[in-house]
Amino acid sequence: MNRYDFHHLSHVKKQNESKKTLWITLILTLFFTLVEVVGGILANSLALLSDSAHMLSDVLALGLSLTAIYLSTRESNNKYTFGYLRFEILASFLNGLALIVIAIGIFIEGIKRIINPQEIDFGLMLGVAVIGLIVNIVLTIVLIRSTKKENNLNIKSALWHFIGDLLNSVGVIISAILIYFTNLNIFDPIISIVIGGVVFTGGAKIIRESFLILMESVPEEFDLDQIRTDIGAIEGVRDIHELHLWTITTDHHSLTAHVFINKEQNPFDVVSAINQMLKDRYGLKHNTVQIEHPSINEHGQYGYDFLNKKAP
Protein backbone atom coordinates (compact mmCIF):
# COMPACT_ATOMS: atom_id res chain seq x y z
CA MET A 1 0.00 0.00 0.00
CA ASN A 2 1.39 3.42 -0.94
CA ARG A 3 -1.07 5.67 0.81
CA TYR A 4 -2.45 5.70 4.34
CA ASP A 5 -5.46 7.41 5.89
CA PHE A 6 -3.63 10.16 7.80
CA HIS A 7 -6.71 12.32 7.91
CA HIS A 8 -5.79 14.64 10.79
CA LEU A 9 -2.84 16.22 8.99
CA SER A 10 -1.88 16.26 5.35
CA HIS A 11 1.63 14.86 4.95
CA VAL A 12 1.89 16.45 1.51
CA LYS A 13 2.60 20.12 0.76
CA LYS A 14 1.47 21.62 -2.54
CA GLN A 15 3.47 24.83 -2.87
CA ASN A 16 3.10 26.11 -6.40
CA GLU A 17 3.97 29.71 -5.49
CA SER A 18 7.15 28.68 -3.66
CA LYS A 19 8.14 26.40 -6.54
CA LYS A 20 7.75 29.15 -9.15
CA THR A 21 9.59 31.65 -6.96
CA LEU A 22 12.52 29.31 -6.40
CA TRP A 23 12.89 28.54 -10.12
CA ILE A 24 12.97 32.25 -11.00
CA THR A 25 15.42 32.93 -8.18
CA LEU A 26 17.65 29.98 -9.10
CA ILE A 27 17.99 31.02 -12.77
CA LEU A 28 18.79 34.66 -11.97
CA THR A 29 21.19 33.69 -9.17
CA LEU A 30 23.08 31.19 -11.32
CA PHE A 31 23.44 33.79 -14.09
CA PHE A 32 24.81 36.47 -11.78
CA THR A 33 27.09 34.01 -9.96
CA LEU A 34 28.86 33.36 -13.26
CA VAL A 35 29.06 37.13 -13.89
CA GLU A 36 30.64 37.71 -10.44
CA VAL A 37 33.13 34.84 -10.78
CA VAL A 38 34.38 36.15 -14.13
CA GLY A 39 34.33 39.77 -12.90
CA GLY A 40 36.09 38.90 -9.66
CA ILE A 41 38.87 37.04 -11.47
CA LEU A 42 39.38 39.77 -14.08
CA ALA A 43 39.25 42.56 -11.48
CA ASN A 44 41.33 40.55 -8.97
CA SER A 45 38.75 41.50 -6.32
CA LEU A 46 38.41 39.23 -3.29
CA ALA A 47 35.24 41.09 -2.28
CA LEU A 48 33.62 40.13 -5.59
CA LEU A 49 34.88 36.55 -5.38
CA SER A 50 33.65 36.33 -1.76
CA ASP A 51 30.23 37.51 -2.83
CA SER A 52 30.24 35.06 -5.75
CA ALA A 53 31.02 32.26 -3.28
CA HIS A 54 28.00 33.36 -1.28
CA MET A 55 25.92 33.44 -4.45
CA LEU A 56 27.14 29.93 -5.33
CA SER A 57 25.97 28.74 -1.92
CA ASP A 58 22.62 30.32 -2.75
CA VAL A 59 22.47 28.30 -5.99
CA LEU A 60 23.12 25.09 -4.04
CA ALA A 61 20.63 26.14 -1.36
CA LEU A 62 17.95 26.88 -3.94
CA GLY A 63 18.60 23.53 -5.61
CA LEU A 64 18.13 21.73 -2.29
CA SER A 65 15.02 23.80 -1.56
CA LEU A 66 13.48 22.86 -4.90
CA THR A 67 14.28 19.21 -4.24
CA ALA A 68 12.58 19.54 -0.85
CA ILE A 69 9.46 21.07 -2.41
CA TYR A 70 9.18 18.35 -5.03
CA LEU A 71 9.72 15.62 -2.42
CA SER A 72 7.10 17.20 -0.15
CA THR A 73 4.47 16.46 -2.82
CA ARG A 74 5.07 12.71 -2.52
CA GLU A 75 2.52 10.72 -0.54
CA SER A 76 3.37 9.09 2.79
CA ASN A 77 3.86 5.33 2.86
CA ASN A 78 4.49 2.45 5.26
CA LYS A 79 8.15 3.50 5.66
CA TYR A 80 7.88 7.31 5.61
CA THR A 81 4.66 7.77 7.58
CA PHE A 82 5.19 11.53 7.78
CA GLY A 83 5.86 11.63 4.05
CA TYR A 84 8.93 13.55 2.89
CA LEU A 85 8.14 16.84 4.61
CA ARG A 86 11.21 16.70 6.89
CA PHE A 87 13.56 16.94 3.89
CA GLU A 88 12.74 20.65 3.85
CA ILE A 89 14.46 20.93 7.24
CA LEU A 90 17.41 18.74 6.24
CA ALA A 91 17.92 20.96 3.19
CA SER A 92 17.91 24.07 5.36
CA PHE A 93 20.44 22.53 7.76
CA LEU A 94 22.79 21.63 4.89
CA ASN A 95 22.38 25.13 3.44
CA GLY A 96 23.35 26.71 6.74
CA LEU A 97 26.35 24.40 7.11
CA ALA A 98 27.54 25.31 3.60
CA LEU A 99 27.36 29.00 4.48
CA ILE A 100 29.51 28.48 7.59
CA VAL A 101 32.19 26.65 5.58
CA ILE A 102 32.20 29.36 2.88
CA ALA A 103 32.45 32.11 5.52
CA ILE A 104 35.49 30.47 7.12
CA GLY A 105 37.16 30.28 3.69
CA ILE A 106 36.45 33.99 3.11
CA PHE A 107 37.97 34.87 6.51
CA ILE A 108 41.16 32.94 5.75
CA GLU A 109 41.61 34.45 2.28
CA GLY A 110 40.77 37.94 3.57
CA ILE A 111 43.48 37.76 6.24
CA LYS A 112 45.99 36.61 3.62
CA ARG A 113 45.20 39.61 1.40
CA ILE A 114 45.43 42.05 4.30
CA ILE A 115 48.96 40.78 4.86
CA ASN A 116 49.75 40.81 1.14
CA PRO A 117 47.55 43.46 -0.65
CA GLN A 118 46.97 43.03 -4.39
CA GLU A 119 46.10 45.40 -7.24
CA ILE A 120 42.41 45.67 -8.17
CA ASP A 121 40.55 46.85 -11.30
CA PHE A 122 38.32 49.52 -9.75
CA GLY A 123 36.02 50.07 -12.75
CA LEU A 124 35.21 46.42 -13.35
CA MET A 125 34.73 45.79 -9.63
CA LEU A 126 32.26 48.68 -9.33
CA GLY A 127 30.35 47.73 -12.49
CA VAL A 128 29.79 44.13 -11.42
CA ALA A 129 28.81 45.24 -7.91
CA VAL A 130 26.15 47.62 -9.26
CA ILE A 131 24.67 44.84 -11.42
CA GLY A 132 24.69 42.61 -8.34
CA LEU A 133 22.84 45.21 -6.31
CA ILE A 134 20.07 45.44 -8.94
CA VAL A 135 19.74 41.64 -9.19
CA ASN A 136 19.59 41.22 -5.40
CA ILE A 137 16.96 43.94 -5.01
CA VAL A 138 14.76 42.19 -7.59
CA LEU A 139 15.24 38.76 -5.97
CA THR A 140 14.57 40.09 -2.47
CA ILE A 141 11.27 41.63 -3.62
CA VAL A 142 10.26 38.36 -5.34
CA LEU A 143 11.00 36.32 -2.19
CA ILE A 144 9.22 38.75 0.15
CA ARG A 145 6.07 38.48 -1.99
CA SER A 146 6.31 34.68 -1.91
CA THR A 147 6.60 34.51 1.90
CA LYS A 148 3.36 36.48 2.18
CA LYS A 149 1.53 33.81 0.16
CA GLU A 150 3.11 30.56 1.44
CA ASN A 151 5.03 29.75 4.63
CA ASN A 152 8.17 27.77 3.82
CA LEU A 153 11.41 27.62 5.82
CA ASN A 154 13.50 27.28 2.68
CA ILE A 155 11.93 30.41 1.16
CA LYS A 156 12.63 32.25 4.41
CA SER A 157 16.21 30.97 4.34
CA ALA A 158 16.60 32.12 0.74
CA LEU A 159 15.18 35.53 1.69
CA TRP A 160 17.79 35.98 4.42
CA HIS A 161 20.48 34.87 1.95
CA PHE A 162 19.49 37.53 -0.55
CA ILE A 163 19.08 40.26 2.04
CA GLY A 164 22.66 39.39 2.98
CA ASP A 165 23.64 39.43 -0.70
CA LEU A 166 22.03 42.84 -1.12
CA LEU A 167 24.06 44.20 1.80
CA ASN A 168 27.15 42.51 0.37
CA SER A 169 26.67 44.29 -2.96
CA VAL A 170 26.42 47.59 -1.12
CA GLY A 171 29.61 46.69 0.74
CA VAL A 172 31.49 45.92 -2.48
CA ILE A 173 30.36 49.25 -3.99
CA ILE A 174 31.54 51.12 -0.88
CA SER A 175 34.83 49.20 -1.04
CA ALA A 176 35.33 50.17 -4.70
CA ILE A 177 34.63 53.85 -3.97
CA LEU A 178 37.03 53.87 -1.00
CA ILE A 179 39.73 52.26 -3.11
CA TYR A 180 39.19 54.86 -5.85
CA PHE A 181 39.53 57.84 -3.49
CA THR A 182 42.24 56.49 -1.17
CA ASN A 183 44.14 54.15 -3.51
CA LEU A 184 44.25 51.69 -0.59
CA ASN A 185 43.50 48.17 -1.86
CA ILE A 186 43.29 46.88 1.71
CA PHE A 187 39.61 47.90 1.75
CA ASP A 188 38.87 44.97 -0.58
CA PRO A 189 39.83 42.18 1.89
CA ILE A 190 38.34 44.17 4.79
CA ILE A 191 34.97 44.33 3.03
CA SER A 192 35.28 40.65 2.11
CA ILE A 193 35.73 39.78 5.81
CA VAL A 194 32.62 41.84 6.65
CA ILE A 195 30.76 39.90 3.94
CA GLY A 196 32.08 36.70 5.50
CA GLY A 197 30.60 37.83 8.81
CA VAL A 198 27.19 38.33 7.19
CA VAL A 199 27.44 34.89 5.55
CA PHE A 200 28.47 33.27 8.85
CA THR A 201 25.63 34.94 10.79
CA GLY A 202 23.04 33.86 8.23
CA GLY A 203 24.35 30.29 8.23
CA ALA A 204 24.33 30.12 12.04
CA LYS A 205 20.73 31.39 12.15
CA ILE A 206 19.54 28.80 9.63
CA ILE A 207 21.44 25.98 11.36
CA ARG A 208 19.94 26.93 14.73
CA GLU A 209 16.36 26.99 13.44
CA SER A 210 16.66 23.71 11.54
CA PHE A 211 18.62 22.07 14.40
CA LEU A 212 15.83 22.84 16.88
CA ILE A 213 13.30 21.23 14.54
CA LEU A 214 15.48 18.17 13.93
CA MET A 215 15.93 17.80 17.71
CA GLU A 216 12.13 17.87 18.01
CA SER A 217 12.23 20.76 20.47
CA VAL A 218 9.03 22.56 21.43
CA PRO A 219 8.36 25.27 18.78
CA GLU A 220 9.16 28.73 20.15
CA GLU A 221 5.64 30.04 19.49
CA PHE A 222 4.12 27.57 21.99
CA ASP A 223 4.19 27.55 25.82
CA LEU A 224 4.09 23.87 26.82
CA ASP A 225 3.31 24.66 30.47
CA GLN A 226 0.29 26.71 29.43
CA ILE A 227 -0.89 23.93 27.12
CA ARG A 228 -0.57 21.48 30.03
CA THR A 229 -2.65 23.81 32.19
CA ASP A 230 -5.32 24.18 29.50
CA ILE A 231 -5.59 20.41 29.02
CA GLY A 232 -5.87 20.01 32.79
CA ALA A 233 -8.82 22.40 32.80
CA ILE A 234 -10.86 20.03 30.60
CA GLU A 235 -13.68 18.36 32.54
CA GLY A 236 -12.69 14.89 33.73
CA VAL A 237 -8.91 15.33 33.27
CA ARG A 238 -6.99 14.63 36.48
CA ASP A 239 -3.38 14.51 35.30
CA ILE A 240 -1.28 15.09 32.15
CA HIS A 241 2.04 13.35 31.48
CA GLU A 242 4.16 12.24 28.51
CA LEU A 243 3.32 15.57 26.89
CA HIS A 244 5.33 16.16 23.72
CA LEU A 245 5.08 18.88 21.08
CA TRP A 246 7.37 19.10 18.07
CA THR A 247 7.57 20.32 14.47
CA ILE A 248 7.59 18.01 11.46
CA THR A 249 8.22 20.84 9.00
CA THR A 250 7.13 24.46 8.61
CA ASP A 251 3.59 24.91 10.00
CA HIS A 252 3.22 21.15 10.59
CA HIS A 253 3.21 20.42 14.34
CA SER A 254 2.43 17.24 16.26
CA LEU A 255 1.36 16.79 19.89
CA THR A 256 1.05 13.65 22.01
CA ALA A 257 -0.18 13.38 25.61
CA HIS A 258 -1.25 10.79 28.16
CA VAL A 259 -4.00 11.85 30.54
CA PHE A 260 -5.56 10.31 33.65
CA ILE A 261 -9.33 10.76 33.78
CA ASN A 262 -12.10 9.87 36.16
CA LYS A 263 -13.33 6.31 35.65
CA GLU A 264 -16.90 7.46 35.15
CA GLN A 265 -15.93 10.01 32.51
CA ASN A 266 -16.67 9.18 28.88
CA PRO A 267 -13.16 8.94 27.31
CA PHE A 268 -14.44 9.88 23.83
CA ASP A 269 -15.86 13.13 25.19
CA VAL A 270 -12.58 13.95 26.93
CA VAL A 271 -10.48 13.29 23.82
CA SER A 272 -12.87 15.32 21.68
CA ALA A 273 -12.81 18.25 24.12
CA ILE A 274 -8.99 18.24 24.30
CA ASN A 275 -8.59 18.11 20.52
CA GLN A 276 -11.12 20.89 20.00
CA MET A 277 -9.39 23.12 22.55
CA LEU A 278 -5.95 22.50 20.99
CA LYS A 279 -7.31 23.30 17.54
CA ASP A 280 -9.21 26.45 18.55
CA ARG A 281 -6.64 27.91 20.94
CA TYR A 282 -3.34 26.83 19.41
CA GLY A 283 -4.11 25.75 15.84
CA LEU A 284 -2.84 22.23 16.63
CA LYS A 285 -4.61 19.61 14.50
CA HIS A 286 -2.29 16.58 14.60
CA ASN A 287 -2.81 15.43 18.20
CA THR A 288 -2.66 11.99 19.77
CA VAL A 289 -4.27 11.78 23.22
CA GLN A 290 -4.06 8.53 25.19
CA ILE A 291 -6.64 8.10 27.97
CA GLU A 292 -5.48 6.21 31.07
CA HIS A 293 -6.17 5.56 34.74
CA PRO A 294 -3.40 4.33 37.09
CA SER A 295 -5.67 1.75 38.72
CA ILE A 296 -6.06 0.10 35.31
CA ASN A 297 -2.90 1.08 33.39
CA GLU A 298 0.43 0.35 35.08
CA HIS A 299 2.46 3.51 35.83
CA GLY A 300 4.82 2.37 38.56
CA GLN A 301 5.66 4.84 41.30
CA TYR A 302 4.13 7.72 39.36
CA GLY A 303 0.74 5.98 39.29
CA TYR A 304 1.05 4.91 42.92
CA ASP A 305 1.74 8.48 44.05
CA PHE A 306 -1.16 9.75 41.96
CA LEU A 307 -3.62 7.25 43.45
CA ASN A 308 -2.56 8.11 46.99
CA LYS A 309 -2.70 11.90 46.47
CA LYS A 310 -5.34 12.56 43.83
CA ALA A 311 -7.46 9.45 43.35
CA PRO A 312 -11.08 10.27 42.51
Side-chain angles (χ1 to χ4, degrees):
M1 231 180 132
N2 293 323
R3 186 172 181 176
Y4 288 77
D5 56 340
F6 301 118
H7 63 280
H8 289 294
L9 174 69
S10 172
H11 297 288
V12 172
K13 292 179 78 174
K14 305 291 185 183
Q15 302 178 100
N16 294 325
E17 182 65 30
S18 296
K19 192 185 301 180
K20 183 175 74 173
T21 298
L22 286 174
W23 271 116
I24 292 171
T25 308
L26 176 61
I27 293 170
L28 287 175
T29 304
L30 181 58
F31 168 74
F32 184 67
T33 299
L34 296 175
V35 171
E36 271 203 324
V37 169
V38 173
I41 292 173
L42 294 177
N44 197 27
S45 169
L46 180 59
L48 279 180
L49 290 174
S50 298
D51 195 42
S52 69
H54 189 191
M55 295 292 282
L56 179 60
S57 76
D58 290 340
V59 171
L60 296 175
L62 291 167
L64 280 172
S65 297
L66 276 168
T67 302
I69 285 179
Y70 279 103
L71 282 176
S72 69
T73 63
R74 297 179 62 179
E75 297 286 353
S76 53
N77 53 48
N78 61 347
K79 183 174 180 62
Y80 298 101
T81 58
F82 278 110
Y84 295 83
L85 299 177
R86 186 56 70 90
F87 190 82
E88 175 187 325
I89 310 305
L90 290 173
S92 294
F93 184 84
L94 292 173
N95 290 340
L97 198 59
L99 287 174
I100 295 294
V101 173
I102 288 170
I104 292 173
I106 292 172
F107 292 149
I108 293 172
E109 188 62 28
I111 292 171
K112 287 181 179 178
R113 288 216 179 187
I114 288 176
I115 296 172
N116 299 300
Q118 299 185 21
E119 289 299 319
I120 296 166
D121 186 329
F122 158 77
L124 184 57
M125 177 182 176
L126 181 61
V128 174
V130 170
I131 295 173
L133 179 62
I134 295 170
V135 170
N136 285 314
I137 289 174
V138 171
L139 292 177
T140 300
I141 292 172
V142 169
L143 289 166
I144 288 175
R145 288 180 177 176
S146 179
T147 57
K148 292 179 179 179
K149 295 181 180 179
E150 291 178 352
N151 194 5
N152 182 294
L153 181 59
N154 281 293
I155 293 291
K156 289 181 178 178
S157 299
L159 176 58
W160 280 108
H161 279 221
F162 286 104
I163 288 175
D165 286 336
L166 194 154
L167 295 175
N168 293 346
S169 295
V170 173
V172 175
I173 292 171
I174 293 173
S175 173
I177 293 172
L178 288 173
I179 291 171
Y180 177 76
F181 285 106
T182 65
N183 203 31
L184 294 174
N185 292 332
I186 195 173
F187 283 114
D188 180 63
I190 290 175
I191 291 295
S192 73
I193 290 175
V194 173
I195 292 173
V198 173
V199 174
F200 188 92
T201 302
K205 180 181 177 64
I206 295 167
I207 285 177
R208 178 184 180 277
E209 189 170 353
S210 54
F211 175 78
L212 290 174
I213 294 176
L214 292 173
M215 290 300 294
E216 299 185 339
S217 65
V218 176
E220 293 181 351
E221 63 265 36
F222 296 107
D223 183 341
L224 200 63
D225 290 332
Q226 184 59 51
I227 292 176
R228 185 188 300 275
T229 299
D230 291 341
I231 293 175
I234 301 293
E235 183 180 359
V237 175
R238 303 301 301 274
D239 179 79
I240 307 99
H241 52 282
E242 290 293 333
L243 178 60
H244 301 281
L245 175 59
W246 70 100
T247 299
I248 302 301
T249 191
T250 313
D251 286 342
H252 282 58
H253 308 295
S254 284
L255 179 143
T256 62
H258 293 191
V259 296
F260 289 156
I261 66 170
N262 298 329
K263 286 184 179 180
E264 65 275 10
Q265 197 76 29
N266 185 325
F268 298 108
D269 289 340
V270 174
V271 171
S272 179
I274 292 174
N275 282 327
Q276 192 62 48
M277 182 276 294
L278 291 171
K279 179 181 178 181
D280 294 342
R281 196 167 299 176
Y282 297 100
L284 295 169
K285 300 176 183 178
H286 191 255
N287 312 307
T288 304
V289 180
Q290 181 170 313
I291 299 297
E292 302 174 324
H293 194 282
S295 65
I296 301 172
N297 308 102
E298 175 60 39
H299 278 76
Q301 189 62 41
Y302 185 87
Y304 176 80
D305 291 342
F306 176 84
L307 287 171
N308 281 309
K309 295 177 183 178
K310 303 175 71 173

